[in-house]
């Protein structure tokens, strides 16, 4: 998706107006990186978590060989012994090299700095980037870039360049189809622009990461991504992403610990407890949904990158010889789960990590990504973490976390397959996918949630709040409310009530009108196409059950 700030602004405005998401502490000016879920957002988020728990833990599909396997849950504490984080590598290695802009006081990750180099001053046509020497582009590190951007991927960097950066520098990107930009396979792109400041000459530009070594050795030569002026960037400095806390009466280093940056470690340190206390055997999945905290330097993109967030994670323990098939199973299953809940557009993709992108401990990793209005970003990662985590805790704690397989007559340290997703990121993706705008409708904005996720499953309306209609509507509302989230609203025009429910993403509205008193039927309105049919009032609950299939 192209960078679409206008679309994102509409989504944010609807979320505030309809009570999906609020800025935390808003009456005091808010606080960066923290968000509150309103009434509709709370229901939506709960539905997402409930769907995950049902589909992954309580009723998981058969494994890769068609056989059943066991899944159990945990709910671990947010604060753990700090030795947990020493063993996991978070204390020593959960650091990002950060760079400060001394003029604007803004900070960014050093490995997120991308440069734009003007590699050819005079080209004849807009496709001339194809003629640019690839070797020359890949060896630009000897020279400081002409311009710079902060981005996580080459796609995001390119969109920033052809958008805000080009506009500020009086450059006009040519060609119009920037999804087909040249890609060398090493995170490098090239594009031709028209330079208004140089008699509209056509220039070829290359976009690639600025090496950390260059930032370290020559920070003064690199233009700031915020002002495009050189001389204001500091050398990269390490910055720990964990938020620390001090339980107990005395605030000193002996009492220092951390708010967990992930939920996974609680599962690893409880592996032996689960095996010893439950009638379980490998292959075994241990699942957890819970809050995590990271001291994000630059929280951004609405709720996507926050300092407090919720994760759903599975640590799936198996024999090393079976790890590859289980990795492929969970990778494909997790992707299809999102598809099954409504992310069916071409904005969703599954991307395998290659080469240097793999973590040192991982034998395989893939990301489920979604193309938000602010760019392509990760919803969930699925990794074959091998036996790295359990062995790290064995070494640090001195405890035996191996497993004895009765059938194999073998003791081993299990391999772990980890599907790790962001609840808040998933919610934002479902909101983005659900958002629709249709000028032809009375309610121009409507949310087309999958029925399992819809915060409100149904609404019951008396056409007017008199003539015995409320008395007919209220029993229907009470019956539906016993099973589903339902709203009753007797006021305002029926059109305005439909519009409110459309913005809430409510799949069906039942309206009791004058005809109900004559023949006992009610109007059912479908959110997606605004069509209406009549059914017997006694059949409202059955109709809803059949349509929702939950």
């Amino acid at each position: 998706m192209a960078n679409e700030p206008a679309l994102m602004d509409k989504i944010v405005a609807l979320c505030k107006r309809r009570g999906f998401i609020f800025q935390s502490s808003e009456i005091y000016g808010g606080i960066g990186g923290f968000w509150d879920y309103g009434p509709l957002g709370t229901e939506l988020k709960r539905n997402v978590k409930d769907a995950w728990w049902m589909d992954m833990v309580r009723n998981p599909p058969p494994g890769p060989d068609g056989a059943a396997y066991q899944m159990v849950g945990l709910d671990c504490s947010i604060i753990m012994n700090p030795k947990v984080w020493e063993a996991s590598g978070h204390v020593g290695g959960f650091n990002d090299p950060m760079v400060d802009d001394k003029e604007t006081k803004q900070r960014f990750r050093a490995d997120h700095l991308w440069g734009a180099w003007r590699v050819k001053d005079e080209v004849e046509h807009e496709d001339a980037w194809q003629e640019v020497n690839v070797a020359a582009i890949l060896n630009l590190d000897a020279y400081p870039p002409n311009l710079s951007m902060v981005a996580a991927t080459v796609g995001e960097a390119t969109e920033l360049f052809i958008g805000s950066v080009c506009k500020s520098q009086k450059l006009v990107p040519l060609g119009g189809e920037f999804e087909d930009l040249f890609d060398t396979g090493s995170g490098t792109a090239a594009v031709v622009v028209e330079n208004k400041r140089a008699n509209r000459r056509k220039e070829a530009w290359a976009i690639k990461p600025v090496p950390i070594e260059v930032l370290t050795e020559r920070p003064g030569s690199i233009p700031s991504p915020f002002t495009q002026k050189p001389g204001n960037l500091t050398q990269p400095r390490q910055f720990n992403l964990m938020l620390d806390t001090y339980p107990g009466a005395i605030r000193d280093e002996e009492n220092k610990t951390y708010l967990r940056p992930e939920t996974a470690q609680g599962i690893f340190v409880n592996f032996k407890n689960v095996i010893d206390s439950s009638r379980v055997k490998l292959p075994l999945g241990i699942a957890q949904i819970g809050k995590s905290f990271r001291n994000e330097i630059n929280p951004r993109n609405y709720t996507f990158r926050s300092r407090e967030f919720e994760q759903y994670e599975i640590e799936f323990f198996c024999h090393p010889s079976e790890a590859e098939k289980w990795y492929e199973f969970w990778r494909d299953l997790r992707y299809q789960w999102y598809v099954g809940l409504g992310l069916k557009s071409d904005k969703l993709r599954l991307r395998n990590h290659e080469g240097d992108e793999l973590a040192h401990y991982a034998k395989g990793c893939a990301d489920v990504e979604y193309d938000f209005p602010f760019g392509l970003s990760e919803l969930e990662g699925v990794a074959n973490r091998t036996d790295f985590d359990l062995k790290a805790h064995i070494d640090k704690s001195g405890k035996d976390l191996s497993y004895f397989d009765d059938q194999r007559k073998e003791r081993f340290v299990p391999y772990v397959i980890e599907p790790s997703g962001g609840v808040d990121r998933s919610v934002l993706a479902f909101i983005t996918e659900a958002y629709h705008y249709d000028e032809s409708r009375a309610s121009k904005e409507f949310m087309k949630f999958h029925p399992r996720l819809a915060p409100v499953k149904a609404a019951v309306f008396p056409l007017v709040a008199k003539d015995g209609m409320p008395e007919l509507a209220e029993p229907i509302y009470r019956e539906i409310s016993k099973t589903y989230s339902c709203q009753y609203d007797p006021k305002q025009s029926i059109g305005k009530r439909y519009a409110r429910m459309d913005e809430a993403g409510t799949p069906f509205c039942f309206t009791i009108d004058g005809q109900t008193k004559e023949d006992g039927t009610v109007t059912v309105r479908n959110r997606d196409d605004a069509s209406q049919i009549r059914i017997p009032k006694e059949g409202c609950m059955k109709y809803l059950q059949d349509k929702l299939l939950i």
Side-chain angles (χ1 to χ4, degrees), residues 235-277:
Q235 290 182 315
R237 294 175 290 183
Q238 293 301 118
F239 189 92
N240 195 283
L241 294 177
M242 286 196 293
L243 290 165
D244 51 46
T245 187
Y246 297 83
I250 300 175
R251 184 184 177 91
D252 58 22
E253 285 300 306
E254 290 186 4
N255 287 329
K256 182 179 179 180
T257 185
Y258 306 92
L259 303 182
R260 67 183 180 196
E262 65 179 28
T263 59
Q265 299 305 319
I267 297 176
F268 293 128
V269 301
N270 276 296
F271 172 69
K272 181 173 174 57
N273 286 335
V274 173
I275 295 294
D276 292 347
S277 65

Side-chain angles (χ1 to χ4, degrees), residues 93-222:
F94 199 53
N95 298 283
D96 281 335
M98 307 304 300
V99 176
D100 290 301
D101 183 312
K102 292 178 285 188
E103 179 180 339
T104 66
K105 310 303 180 185
Q106 291 180 272
R107 178 176 289 169
F108 59 92
R109 281 174 52 173
D111 60 342
H112 281 186
L113 184 65
W114 291 72
W117 284 261
R118 187 173 62 247
V119 294
K120 202 167 184 180
D121 286 343
E122 296 284 352
V123 297
E124 294 183 1
H125 51 86
E126 61 195 37
D127 293 330
W129 52 263
Q130 297 173 344
E131 304 166 8
V132 175
N133 185 284
V134 173
I137 293 176
L138 297 179
N139 290 298
L140 290 171
D141 299 345
Y143 311 96
N146 302 91
L147 302 167
S148 67
M149 301 77 65
V150 175
T153 65
V154 64
E156 185 179 343
T158 303
E159 288 186 351
L160 283 171
F161 176 74
I162 65 178
S164 57
V165 174
C166 277
K167 184 176 181 180
S168 68
Q169 301 300 309
K170 305 297 183 183
L171 304 175
V172 180
L174 301 177
E177 295 187 5
F178 300 110
E179 64 270 23
D180 294 325
L181 284 175
F182 174 65
D183 190 345
T184 65
S186 62
T188 301
V191 64
V192 168
V193 302
E194 183 180 79
N195 192 336
K196 291 183 177 180
R197 292 174 175 170
N199 296 321
R200 296 188 176 276
R201 73 182 180 195
K202 293 183 175 64
E203 304 169 344
W205 285 67
I207 300 163
K208 65 188 297 287
V210 177
I212 291 181
E213 296 77 17
V214 175
L215 264 172
T216 302
E217 297 169 3
R218 294 176 287 153
S221 67
I222 309 297

Side-chain angles (χ1 to χ4, degrees), residues 309-449:
F309 53 95
E310 202 159 4
Q311 294 177 284
Y312 28 43
E313 288 194 302
I314 295 169
E315 306 304 329
F316 192 84
F317 301 88
C318 62
H319 189 274
S321 67
E322 298 180 338
E324 183 60 26
K325 73 174 183 180
W326 282 110
Y327 164 69
E328 293 176 358
F329 169 79
W330 281 106
R331 178 196 63 193
D332 297 342
L333 176 64
R334 291 304 304 138
Y335 174 79
Q336 289 300 327
W337 184 79
Y338 289 99
V339 174
L341 287 175
L343 299 188
K344 296 182 178 180
S345 70
D346 58 3
K347 298 172 191 168
L348 187 73
R349 77 172 190 179
L350 181 65
R351 184 180 66 84
N352 293 310
H353 288 206
E354 303 291 345
D356 295 342
E357 197 177 4
L358 281 174
H360 66 89
Y361 52 77
K363 290 194 70 174
C365 188
D367 287 342
V368 179
E369 298 178 328
Y370 185 77
D371 199 1
F372 290 95
F374 47 77
L376 193 65
S377 302
E378 177 190 347
L379 297 181
E380 177 164 342
V382 181
N384 177 353
R385 297 180 65 94
T386 68
D387 55 8
F388 172 81
D389 299 278
L390 288 179
K391 281 188 172 179
H393 288 298
I394 290 171
D395 293 343
K396 184 70 175 179
S397 68
K399 299 294 192 285
D400 182 10
L401 301 180
S402 64
Y403 174 81
F404 183 77
D405 191 312
D406 290 326
Q407 290 184 327
R408 297 174 184 267
K409 305 301 180 185
E410 177 187 355
R411 181 170 291 278
F412 58 91
V413 177
Y415 268 34
V416 175
I417 311 303
E418 180 190 73
S420 175
V423 179
D424 304 277
R425 292 183 175 191
S426 300
V427 169
L428 185 57
F430 289 126
I431 288 174
T432 303
E433 186 83 2
Y435 181 86
H436 285 70
Y437 189 89
D438 186 348
E439 284 280 0
S440 66
R441 292 170 63 118
S443 52
K444 294 179 175 57
E445 292 180 301
F446 66 105
M447 303 296 284
K448 201 172 179 179
F449 291 116

